Amino acid sequence: MKKTIGMMICAAFLFAACNEANAEKKSAPVESAKPAAAQPAAQQTVPAPEAPKAQITNVDWAKALEMQKAGAVLIDVRTPGEVAEGTAPGSINIPLQEAEQRLAEFPKDKDLLIFCRSGKRSMAVSNFLIQNGYERVFNVVGGFMAFPKN
């Protein structure tokens, strides 16, 4: 009895696999018999490769503060209430919830050092900036919790 059930299960898997292979063959595009030169120009064009998107670079506070001295902009994406309890000197507060409405306040011509409390919100804002064409985006690892207190 166990052998029969096992054989039925194996047969079902084989049947399903065969059907998948046939479905792939059926859905494969059929090549045109026309030579490439005879096809309309619209069909001959190859899409241009997409420009590589900028990457978010993670930096620690030592590097972030060094970059800030060299002209980078430090942006705190925490709430005003959190900022009132303390923030990095010289930072600009643009809360995560306001980032979309205040996009123009993020300069495109400078390195942007984004931080929050621990790193989750800063990564969200960093991704948002990359999606909106910013290329010089740096996420400060550890957020304000890792800020040097000396």
PDB file of all heavy atoms in Angstrom, residues 120-150:
ATOM      1  N   LYS A 120      16.999  52.782  10.579  1.00  0.00           N
ATOM      2  CA  LYS A 120      15.914  52.320   9.709  1.00  0.00           C
ATOM      3  C   LYS A 120      15.313  53.468   8.890  1.00  0.00           C
ATOM      4  O   LYS A 120      15.163  53.368   7.670  1.00  0.00           O
ATOM      5  CB  LYS A 120      14.836  51.642  10.550  1.00  0.00           C
ATOM      6  CG  LYS A 120      13.750  50.989   9.730  1.00  0.00           C
ATOM      7  CD  LYS A 120      12.784  50.228  10.601  1.00  0.00           C
ATOM      8  CE  LYS A 120      11.700  49.579   9.772  1.00  0.00           C
ATOM      9  NZ  LYS A 120      10.737  48.869  10.587  1.00  0.00           N
ATOM     10  N   ARG A 121      14.975  54.556   9.541  1.00  0.00           N
ATOM     11  CA  ARG A 121      14.380  55.696   8.829  1.00  0.00           C
ATOM     12  C   ARG A 121      15.383  56.352   7.883  1.00  0.00           C
ATOM     13  O   ARG A 121      15.023  56.781   6.784  1.00  0.00           O
ATOM     14  CB  ARG A 121      13.836  56.725   9.823  1.00  0.00           C
ATOM     15  CG  ARG A 121      12.587  56.240  10.541  1.00  0.00           C
ATOM     16  CD  ARG A 121      12.134  57.235  11.586  1.00  0.00           C
ATOM     17  NE  ARG A 121      12.984  57.109  12.769  1.00  0.00           N
ATOM     18  CZ  ARG A 121      12.871  57.848  13.854  1.00  0.00           C
ATOM     19  NH1 ARG A 121      11.956  58.796  13.926  1.00  0.00           N
ATOM     20  NH2 ARG A 121      13.672  57.665  14.880  1.00  0.00           N
ATOM     21  N   SER A 122      16.647  56.420   8.293  1.00  0.00           N
ATOM     22  CA  SER A 122      17.650  57.034   7.413  1.00  0.00           C
ATOM     23  C   SER A 122      17.828  56.208   6.147  1.00  0.00           C
ATOM     24  O   SER A 122      18.032  56.753   5.063  1.00  0.00           O
ATOM     25  CB  SER A 122      18.980  57.216   8.150  1.00  0.00           C
ATOM     26  OG  SER A 122      19.516  55.983   8.552  1.00  0.00           O
ATOM     27  N   MET A 123      17.746  54.889   6.270  1.00  0.00           N
ATOM     28  CA  MET A 123      17.857  54.041   5.076  1.00  0.00           C
ATOM     29  C   MET A 123      16.647  54.256   4.166  1.00  0.00           C
ATOM     30  O   MET A 123      16.785  54.289   2.943  1.00  0.00           O
ATOM     31  CB  MET A 123      17.992  52.571   5.469  1.00  0.00           C
ATOM     32  CG  MET A 123      18.321  51.671   4.293  1.00  0.00           C
ATOM     33  SD  MET A 123      19.763  52.146   3.315  1.00  0.00           S
ATOM     34  CE  MET A 123      21.078  51.490   4.304  1.00  0.00           C
ATOM     35  N   ALA A 124      15.465  54.435   4.750  1.00  0.00           N
ATOM     36  CA  ALA A 124      14.264  54.690   3.943  1.00  0.00           C
ATOM     37  C   ALA A 124      14.403  56.006   3.179  1.00  0.00           C
ATOM     38  O   ALA A 124      14.102  56.072   1.977  1.00  0.00           O
ATOM     39  CB  ALA A 124      13.022  54.704   4.832  1.00  0.00           C
ATOM     40  N   VAL A 125      14.878  57.048   3.845  1.00  0.00           N
ATOM     41  CA  VAL A 125      15.061  58.340   3.177  1.00  0.00           C
ATOM     42  C   VAL A 125      16.172  58.238   2.133  1.00  0.00           C
ATOM     43  O   VAL A 125      16.054  58.781   1.036  1.00  0.00           O
ATOM     44  CB  VAL A 125      15.343  59.465   4.201  1.00  0.00           C
ATOM     45  CG1 VAL A 125      15.749  60.755   3.507  1.00  0.00           C
ATOM     46  CG2 VAL A 125      14.117  59.709   5.077  1.00  0.00           C
ATOM     47  N   SER A 126      17.239  57.518   2.446  1.00  0.00           N
ATOM     48  CA  SER A 126      18.335  57.340   1.490  1.00  0.00           C
ATOM     49  C   SER A 126      17.829  56.665   0.213  1.00  0.00           C
ATOM     50  O   SER A 126      18.139  57.108  -0.898  1.00  0.00           O
ATOM     51  CB  SER A 126      19.458  56.509   2.116  1.00  0.00           C
ATOM     52  OG  SER A 126      20.036  57.196   3.200  1.00  0.00           O
ATOM     53  N   ASN A 127      17.041  55.609   0.364  1.00  0.00           N
ATOM     54  CA  ASN A 127      16.455  54.936  -0.806  1.00  0.00           C
ATOM     55  C   ASN A 127      15.550  55.875  -1.586  1.00  0.00           C
ATOM     56  O   ASN A 127      15.556  55.886  -2.818  1.00  0.00           O
ATOM     57  CB  ASN A 127      15.684  53.690  -0.377  1.00  0.00           C
ATOM     58  CG  ASN A 127      16.592  52.525  -0.083  1.00  0.00           C
ATOM     59  OD1 ASN A 127      17.555  52.280  -0.793  1.00  0.00           O
ATOM     60  ND2 ASN A 127      16.302  51.804   0.982  1.00  0.00           N
ATOM     61  N   PHE A 128      14.750  56.667  -0.889  1.00  0.00           N
ATOM     62  CA  PHE A 128      13.860  57.638  -1.521  1.00  0.00           C
ATOM     63  C   PHE A 128      14.663  58.636  -2.358  1.00  0.00           C
ATOM     64  O   PHE A 128      14.308  58.953  -3.489  1.00  0.00           O
ATOM     65  CB  PHE A 128      13.031  58.358  -0.447  1.00  0.00           C
ATOM     66  CG  PHE A 128      12.250  59.528  -0.963  1.00  0.00           C
ATOM     67  CD1 PHE A 128      11.112  59.343  -1.737  1.00  0.00           C
ATOM     68  CD2 PHE A 128      12.655  60.823  -0.680  1.00  0.00           C
ATOM     69  CE1 PHE A 128      10.393  60.431  -2.216  1.00  0.00           C
ATOM     70  CE2 PHE A 128      11.945  61.914  -1.146  1.00  0.00           C
ATOM     71  CZ  PHE A 128      10.809  61.713  -1.925  1.00  0.00           C
ATOM     72  N   LEU A 129      15.779  59.112  -1.802  1.00  0.00           N
ATOM     73  CA  LEU A 129      16.615  60.080  -2.521  1.00  0.00           C
ATOM     74  C   LEU A 129      17.225  59.450  -3.780  1.00  0.00           C
ATOM     75  O   LEU A 129      17.231  60.072  -4.845  1.00  0.00           O
ATOM     76  CB  LEU A 129      17.707  60.622  -1.605  1.00  0.00           C
ATOM     77  CG  LEU A 129      17.205  61.508  -0.461  1.00  0.00           C
ATOM     78  CD1 LEU A 129      18.332  61.810   0.514  1.00  0.00           C
ATOM     79  CD2 LEU A 129      16.589  62.793  -0.996  1.00  0.00           C
ATOM     80  N   ILE A 130      17.715  58.226  -3.667  1.00  0.00           N
ATOM     81  CA  ILE A 130      18.286  57.531  -4.829  1.00  0.00           C
ATOM     82  C   ILE A 130      17.225  57.377  -5.918  1.00  0.00           C
ATOM     83  O   ILE A 130      17.483  57.610  -7.095  1.00  0.00           O
ATOM     84  CB  ILE A 130      18.852  56.151  -4.417  1.00  0.00           C
ATOM     85  CG1 ILE A 130      20.056  56.306  -3.485  1.00  0.00           C
ATOM     86  CG2 ILE A 130      19.185  55.297  -5.645  1.00  0.00           C
ATOM     87  CD1 ILE A 130      21.281  56.913  -4.109  1.00  0.00           C
ATOM     88  N   GLN A 131      16.009  57.022  -5.528  1.00  0.00           N
ATOM     89  CA  GLN A 131      14.918  56.859  -6.499  1.00  0.00           C
ATOM     90  C   GLN A 131      14.558  58.172  -7.170  1.00  0.00           C
ATOM     91  O   GLN A 131      13.998  58.179  -8.259  1.00  0.00           O
ATOM     92  CB  GLN A 131      13.680  56.274  -5.811  1.00  0.00           C
ATOM     93  CG  GLN A 131      13.856  54.839  -5.394  1.00  0.00           C
ATOM     94  CD  GLN A 131      12.725  54.350  -4.497  1.00  0.00           C
ATOM     95  OE1 GLN A 131      11.815  55.102  -4.153  1.00  0.00           O
ATOM     96  NE2 GLN A 131      12.803  53.097  -4.099  1.00  0.00           N
ATOM     97  N   ASN A 132      14.894  59.275  -6.533  1.00  0.00           N
ATOM     98  CA  ASN A 132      14.591  60.589  -7.095  1.00  0.00           C
ATOM     99  C   ASN A 132      15.810  61.246  -7.732  1.00  0.00           C
ATOM    100  O   ASN A 132      15.851  62.467  -7.882  1.00  0.00           O
ATOM    101  CB  ASN A 132      13.977  61.482  -6.016  1.00  0.00           C
ATOM    102  CG  ASN A 132      12.519  61.150  -5.802  1.00  0.00           C
ATOM    103  OD1 ASN A 132      11.656  61.574  -6.560  1.00  0.00           O
ATOM    104  ND2 ASN A 132      12.230  60.342  -4.795  1.00  0.00           N
ATOM    105  N   GLY A 133      16.800  60.452  -8.096  1.00  0.00           N
ATOM    106  CA  GLY A 133      17.914  60.956  -8.878  1.00  0.00           C
ATOM    107  C   GLY A 133      19.119  61.462  -8.102  1.00  0.00           C
ATOM    108  O   GLY A 133      20.070  61.970  -8.705  1.00  0.00           O
ATOM    109  N   TYR A 134      19.122  61.356  -6.802  1.00  0.00           N
ATOM    110  CA  TYR A 134      20.281  61.790  -6.022  1.00  0.00           C
ATOM    111  C   TYR A 134      21.361  60.718  -6.120  1.00  0.00           C
ATOM    112  O   TYR A 134      21.068  59.526  -6.139  1.00  0.00           O
ATOM    113  CB  TYR A 134      19.897  62.030  -4.560  1.00  0.00           C
ATOM    114  CG  TYR A 134      19.079  63.287  -4.375  1.00  0.00           C
ATOM    115  CD1 TYR A 134      17.731  63.314  -4.701  1.00  0.00           C
ATOM    116  CD2 TYR A 134      19.659  64.446  -3.884  1.00  0.00           C
ATOM    117  CE1 TYR A 134      16.976  64.455  -4.551  1.00  0.00           C
ATOM    118  CE2 TYR A 134      18.908  65.600  -3.720  1.00  0.00           C
ATOM    119  CZ  TYR A 134      17.570  65.608  -4.059  1.00  0.00           C
ATOM    120  OH  TYR A 134      16.823  66.738  -3.897  1.00  0.00           O
ATOM    121  N   GLU A 135      22.605  61.149  -6.205  1.00  0.00           N
ATOM    122  CA  GLU A 135      23.695  60.200  -6.380  1.00  0.00           C
ATOM    123  C   GLU A 135      24.680  60.184  -5.229  1.00  0.00           C
ATOM    124  O   GLU A 135      25.423  59.231  -5.072  1.00  0.00           O
ATOM    125  CB  GLU A 135      24.439  60.516  -7.684  1.00  0.00           C
ATOM    126  CG  GLU A 135      23.552  60.342  -8.900  1.00  0.00           C
ATOM    127  CD  GLU A 135      24.277  60.651 -10.199  1.00  0.00           C
ATOM    128  OE1 GLU A 135      25.438  61.108 -10.154  1.00  0.00           O
ATOM    129  OE2 GLU A 135      23.669  60.437 -11.255  1.00  0.00           O
ATOM    130  N   ARG A 136      24.717  61.210  -4.432  1.00  0.00           N
ATOM    131  CA  ARG A 136      25.724  61.332  -3.375  1.00  0.00           C
ATOM    132  C   ARG A 136      25.054  61.165  -2.008  1.00  0.00           C
ATOM    133  O   ARG A 136      24.984  62.091  -1.221  1.00  0.00           O
ATOM    134  CB  ARG A 136      26.429  62.666  -3.511  1.00  0.00           C
ATOM    135  CG  ARG A 136      27.149  62.786  -4.853  1.00  0.00           C
ATOM    136  CD  ARG A 136      27.539  64.182  -5.220  1.00  0.00           C
ATOM    137  NE  ARG A 136      28.477  64.778  -4.279  1.00  0.00           N
ATOM    138  CZ  ARG A 136      28.954  66.003  -4.400  1.00  0.00           C
ATOM    139  NH1 ARG A 136      28.589  66.770  -5.418  1.00  0.00           N
ATOM    140  NH2 ARG A 136      29.797  66.485  -3.513  1.00  0.00           N
ATOM    141  N   VAL A 137      24.563  59.950  -1.751  1.00  0.00           N
ATOM    142  CA  VAL A 137      23.785  59.665  -0.542  1.00  0.00           C
ATOM    143  C   VAL A 137      24.561  58.707   0.362  1.00  0.00           C
ATOM    144  O   VAL A 137      24.999  57.642  -0.078  1.00  0.00           O
ATOM    145  CB  VAL A 137      22.412  59.055  -0.902  1.00  0.00           C
ATOM    146  CG1 VAL A 137      21.597  58.770   0.336  1.00  0.00           C
ATOM    147  CG2 VAL A 137      21.649  59.991  -1.847  1.00  0.00           C
ATOM    148  N   PHE A 138      24.709  59.111   1.622  1.00  0.00           N
ATOM    149  CA  PHE A 138      25.446  58.323   2.606  1.00  0.00           C
ATOM    150  C   PHE A 138      24.564  58.094   3.821  1.00  0.00           C
ATOM    151  O   PHE A 138      23.996  59.044   4.379  1.00  0.00           O
ATOM    152  CB  PHE A 138      26.730  59.053   3.020  1.00  0.00           C
ATOM    153  CG  PHE A 138      27.679  59.257   1.876  1.00  0.00           C
ATOM    154  CD1 PHE A 138      27.520  60.338   1.010  1.00  0.00           C
ATOM    155  CD2 PHE A 138      28.714  58.378   1.657  1.00  0.00           C
ATOM    156  CE1 PHE A 138      28.384  60.535  -0.062  1.00  0.00           C
ATOM    157  CE2 PHE A 138      29.586  58.570   0.584  1.00  0.00           C
ATOM    158  CZ  PHE A 138      29.419  59.643  -0.268  1.00  0.00           C
ATOM    159  N   ASN A 139      24.439  56.855   4.239  1.00  0.00           N
ATOM    160  CA  ASN A 139      23.665  56.485   5.424  1.00  0.00           C
ATOM    161  C   ASN A 139      24.639  56.373   6.600  1.00  0.00           C
ATOM    162  O   ASN A 139      25.609  55.630   6.538  1.00  0.00           O
ATOM    163  CB  ASN A 139      22.942  55.159   5.191  1.00  0.00           C
ATOM    164  CG  ASN A 139      22.121  54.752   6.377  1.00  0.00           C
ATOM    165  OD1 ASN A 139      21.282  55.500   6.850  1.00  0.00           O
ATOM    166  ND2 ASN A 139      22.365  53.555   6.883  1.00  0.00           N
ATOM    167  N   VAL A 140      24.366  57.120   7.675  1.00  0.00           N
ATOM    168  CA  VAL A 140      25.236  57.079   8.847  1.00  0.00           C
ATOM    169  C   VAL A 140      24.815  55.886   9.705  1.00  0.00           C
ATOM    170  O   VAL A 140      23.723  55.871  10.270  1.00  0.00           O
ATOM    171  CB  VAL A 140      25.183  58.401   9.642  1.00  0.00           C
ATOM    172  CG1 VAL A 140      26.145  58.333  10.814  1.00  0.00           C
ATOM    173  CG2 VAL A 140      25.519  59.584   8.733  1.00  0.00           C
ATOM    174  N   VAL A 141      25.691  54.899   9.767  1.00  0.00           N
ATOM    175  CA  VAL A 141      25.410  53.634  10.448  1.00  0.00           C
ATOM    176  C   VAL A 141      25.242  53.846  11.952  1.00  0.00           C
ATOM    177  O   VAL A 141      26.010  54.567  12.574  1.00  0.00           O
ATOM    178  CB  VAL A 141      26.553  52.623  10.171  1.00  0.00           C
ATOM    179  CG1 VAL A 141      26.318  51.320  10.909  1.00  0.00           C
ATOM    180  CG2 VAL A 141      26.691  52.383   8.688  1.00  0.00           C
ATOM    181  N   GLY A 142      24.209  53.219  12.496  1.00  0.00           N
ATOM    182  CA  GLY A 142      23.971  53.279  13.937  1.00  0.00           C
ATOM    183  C   GLY A 142      23.135  54.465  14.365  1.00  0.00           C
ATOM    184  O   GLY A 142      22.703  54.540  15.516  1.00  0.00           O
ATOM    185  N   GLY A 143      22.921  55.414  13.466  1.00  0.00           N
ATOM    186  CA  GLY A 143      22.102  56.566  13.776  1.00  0.00           C
ATOM    187  C   GLY A 143      22.625  57.380  14.938  1.00  0.00           C
ATOM    188  O   GLY A 143      23.798  57.269  15.333  1.00  0.00           O
ATOM    189  N   PHE A 144      21.765  58.201  15.505  1.00  0.00           N
ATOM    190  CA  PHE A 144      22.180  59.105  16.581  1.00  0.00           C
ATOM    191  C   PHE A 144      22.579  58.331  17.841  1.00  0.00           C
ATOM    192  O   PHE A 144      23.340  58.817  18.655  1.00  0.00           O
ATOM    193  CB  PHE A 144      21.093  60.129  16.892  1.00  0.00           C
ATOM    194  CG  PHE A 144      21.559  61.235  17.797  1.00  0.00           C
ATOM    195  CD1 PHE A 144      22.538  62.117  17.365  1.00  0.00           C
ATOM    196  CD2 PHE A 144      21.049  61.378  19.068  1.00  0.00           C
ATOM    197  CE1 PHE A 144      22.992  63.126  18.199  1.00  0.00           C
ATOM    198  CE2 PHE A 144      21.490  62.386  19.901  1.00  0.00           C
ATOM    199  CZ  PHE A 144      22.470  63.266  19.470  1.00  0.00           C
ATOM    200  N   MET A 145      22.074  57.097  17.963  1.00  0.00           N
ATOM    201  CA  MET A 145      22.455  56.276  19.116  1.00  0.00           C
ATOM    202  C   MET A 145      23.963  55.993  19.113  1.00  0.00           C
ATOM    203  O   MET A 145      24.563  55.793  20.163  1.00  0.00           O
ATOM    204  CB  MET A 145      21.675  54.955  19.109  1.00  0.00           C
ATOM    205  CG  MET A 145      20.204  55.129  19.425  1.00  0.00           C
ATOM    206  SD  MET A 145      19.275  53.581  19.302  1.00  0.00           S
ATOM    207  CE  MET A 145      20.072  52.572  20.499  1.00  0.00           C
ATOM    208  N   ALA A 146      24.595  56.003  17.936  1.00  0.00           N
ATOM    209  CA  ALA A 146      26.028  55.740  17.825  1.00  0.00           C
ATOM    210  C   ALA A 146      26.852  57.030  17.778  1.00  0.00           C
ATOM    211  O   ALA A 146      28.072  56.965  17.662  1.00  0.00           O
ATOM    212  CB  ALA A 146      26.291  54.897  16.576  1.00  0.00           C
ATOM    213  N   PHE A 147      26.198  58.182  17.874  1.00  0.00           N
ATOM    214  CA  PHE A 147      26.902  59.457  17.796  1.00  0.00           C
ATOM    215  C   PHE A 147      27.903  59.576  18.946  1.00  0.00           C
ATOM    216  O   PHE A 147      27.560  59.315  20.097  1.00  0.00           O
ATOM    217  CB  PHE A 147      25.905  60.623  17.851  1.00  0.00           C
ATOM    218  CG  PHE A 147      26.533  61.979  17.697  1.00  0.00           C
ATOM    219  CD1 PHE A 147      26.971  62.403  16.463  1.00  0.00           C
ATOM    220  CD2 PHE A 147      26.679  62.826  18.787  1.00  0.00           C
ATOM    221  CE1 PHE A 147      27.552  63.653  16.311  1.00  0.00           C
ATOM    222  CE2 PHE A 147      27.251  64.069  18.643  1.00  0.00           C
ATOM    223  CZ  PHE A 147      27.689  64.497  17.395  1.00  0.00           C
ATOM    224  N   PRO A 148      29.148  59.985  18.649  1.00  0.00           N
ATOM    225  CA  PRO A 148      30.147  60.119  19.718  1.00  0.00           C
ATOM    226  C   PRO A 148      29.753  61.230  20.697  1.00  0.00           C
ATOM    227  O   PRO A 148      29.518  62.366  20.286  1.00  0.00           O
ATOM    228  CB  PRO A 148      31.434  60.446  18.980  1.00  0.00           C
ATOM    229  CG  PRO A 148      31.047  60.833  17.600  1.00  0.00           C
ATOM    230  CD  PRO A 148      29.675  60.307  17.348  1.00  0.00           C
ATOM    231  N   LYS A 149      29.669  60.904  21.947  1.00  0.00           N
ATOM    232  CA  LYS A 149      29.175  61.845  22.971  1.00  0.00           C
ATOM    233  C   LYS A 149      30.276  62.662  23.640  1.00  0.00           C
ATOM    234  O   LYS A 149      30.042  63.352  24.583  1.00  0.00           O
ATOM    235  CB  LYS A 149      28.412  61.081  24.068  1.00  0.00           C
ATOM    236  CG  LYS A 149      27.281  60.219  23.556  1.00  0.00           C
ATOM    237  CD  LYS A 149      26.142  61.005  22.982  1.00  0.00           C
ATOM    238  CE  LYS A 149      24.946  60.151  22.713  1.00  0.00           C
ATOM    239  NZ  LYS A 149      24.556  60.012  21.340  1.00  0.00           N
ATOM    240  N   ASN A 150      31.515  62.573  23.162  1.00  0.00           N
ATOM    241  CA  ASN A 150      32.604  63.295  23.842  1.00  0.00           C
ATOM    242  C   ASN A 150      32.770  64.689  23.388  1.00  0.00           C
ATOM    243  O   ASN A 150      32.468  65.313  22.579  1.00  0.00           O
ATOM    244  CB  ASN A 150      33.932  62.550  23.689  1.00  0.00           C
ATOM    245  CG  ASN A 150      34.205  62.136  22.255  1.00  0.00           C
ATOM    246  OD1 ASN A 150      33.333  62.193  21.391  1.00  0.00           O
ATOM    247  ND2 ASN A 150      35.415  61.706  22.016  1.00  0.00           N
TER     248      ASN A 150
END
